[in-house]
Amino acid sequence: MDAMPPARHHAAWRALIDDMAHAADQIHRIWSAPAGQDEPDASRVRHLQLWPYVLAWAERSFIIADLAGQHRPVAPPLSGEELRLWQGRAQAAWERGDLDTTDVWYSASNELITLAYLVEQGEQTVVVLAGELGSEQMRVLGHYDTLQKAVEASPPAVPAGVLHPDIAPFAPQAPAAEAPVAKLVRQVDEARHTGDVYMALLDAVDDSGFSRGPLPRLGELLDRAAKFADALETKQGQHSAARLSVLARQLGALREEIESAAESLGAGVLPPHRTPRPVFHVAPTPPAPSATPPAGPAAPHIPGPASRR
């Protein structure tokens, strides 16, 4: 982080790194401590003590995983006549709808980076773009034959933001009676990219066969999706947020409008300054040995970062 350009979210990232270091130290301490009673009671006590620290790694380690991949060489930016040529081609493709976005993230310099297929006369080129698509700040960083080459040459991604600082993906699930709508609301709460929000909205308004969406609870879902769109801090996101807020107050025959609003989200990612809150401001009190383990995945025997979408 010392080698990265200064940014307002660095303090929050450092707090999270310290938080994860504390959790790792506690995991090591608990595993290294001699058992004070016979198995299997000793194993159960140890798992209960480990649980909050392992859970913290499962929920927050994406910050460290993304930061670990920061320092690698990237291709130099385009300049001169080549830059002017590709700027014009990219802007023209955007205006006629021939920029097919495939991925989006923020760089260490806090720029929005987009990978897109630029389609011209039936042929496509992968372009790396900086800045909000369609804006005056949009510029072409490079063009490549394959997606893999474009990824390798692009500025690496920093950790995406979260909608809520206290996000807890592995918290106990909602009661079964409200599972359909609760699952969609949870999908928006945990989303860091627009794709998850888009799919949640389509599932909510789906009216085909056995997969009909939970319309009675749609108002709550639309409110959450509007907050996500606004948190993107882009013109497209703000427009979508306004539309979704109106739809939440006008439940009825709005299926087509909701689908349209979902599509207008475009490709986006929450800005990195929307960081999760550290878990261990103070060391947690280990649960009593007789307590029932918290709901969620079984406590693993080997701690480590959890895979994230």
Side-chain angles (χ1 to χ4, degrees), residues 1-306:
M1 288 187 60
D2 290 339
M4 297 170 70
R8 60 173 171 166
H9 40 273
H10 282 190
W13 284 352
R14 290 184 186 278
L16 284 163
I17 292 171
D18 290 343
D19 213 42
M20 293 297 94
H22 170 76
D25 288 343
Q26 294 303 310
I27 290 170
H28 179 73
R29 177 187 61 79
I30 293 168
W31 274 115
S32 302
Q37 53 197 126
D38 296 333
E39 297 284 355
D41 289 341
S43 178
R44 184 171 183 275
V45 170
R46 179 176 287 142
H47 287 174
L48 287 169
Q49 292 174 335
L50 284 169
W51 180 258
Y53 304 107
V54 175
L55 190 62
W57 268 92
E59 294 176 344
R60 301 289 195 268
S61 61
F62 69 90
I63 297 286
I64 293 177
D66 286 356
L67 289 176
Q70 273 301 299
H71 306 295
R72 60 172 175 77
V74 299
L78 302 181
S79 60
E81 186 60 32
E82 186 180 18
L83 175 61
R84 286 190 290 272
L85 171 65
W86 282 95
Q87 285 285 117
R89 295 173 70 173
Q91 188 64 39
W94 168 258
E95 292 173 358
R96 65 175 183 267
D98 283 339
L99 268 183
D100 185 8
T101 301
T102 183
D103 202 359
V104 60
W105 64 83
Y106 277 89
S107 69
S109 57
N110 213 35
E111 277 195 308
L112 193 61
I113 305 297
T114 302
L115 295 187
Y117 289 101
L118 191 158
V119 182
E120 294 176 314
Q121 300 179 349
E123 297 184 355
Q124 59 185 22
T125 304
V126 183
V127 291
V128 182
L129 304 165
E132 184 178 347
L133 294 185
S135 70
E136 295 181 356
Q137 290 73 38
M138 184 182 78
R139 67 186 193 280
V140 180
L141 298 182
H143 54 93
Y144 303 91
D145 297 331
T146 67
L147 188 62
Q148 181 62 32
K149 290 180 180 178
V151 170
E152 292 173 353
S154 301
V158 297
V162 297
L163 189 57
H164 303 293
D166 292 315
I167 183 68
F170 301 120
Q173 298 287 335
E178 61 172 2
V181 70
K183 181 179 179 181
L184 296 178
V185 172
R186 193 183 188 96
Q187 185 171 331
V188 175
D189 282 345
E190 295 178 12
R192 291 185 281 150
H193 297 76
T194 49
D196 291 330
V197 179
Y198 173 77
M199 291 307 302
L201 291 170
L202 290 191
D203 288 344
V205 299
D206 187 11
D207 197 23
S208 59
F210 295 103
S211 60
R212 304 180 76 182
L215 293 180
R217 295 290 302 274
L218 187 55
E220 180 182 1
L221 172 64
L222 294 179
D223 281 335
R224 301 290 183 91
K227 291 178 181 178
F228 181 97
D230 188 62
L232 292 172
E233 299 181 1
T234 65
K235 294 178 181 177
Q236 277 188 300
Q238 291 170 357
H239 177 67
S240 293
R243 293 181 66 184
L244 289 168
S245 296
V246 172
L247 292 171
R249 298 191 298 268
Q250 298 179 349
L251 288 178
L254 298 175
R255 177 170 176 261
E256 293 183 1
E257 273 296 312
I258 294 170
E259 289 180 345
S260 175
E263 290 171 357
S264 73
L265 278 169
V269 58
L270 289 176
H273 65 80
R274 300 185 64 90
T275 55
R277 184 171 289 123
V279 179
F280 305 112
H281 294 291
V282 296
T285 303
S290 59
T292 301
H301 286 274
I302 301 176

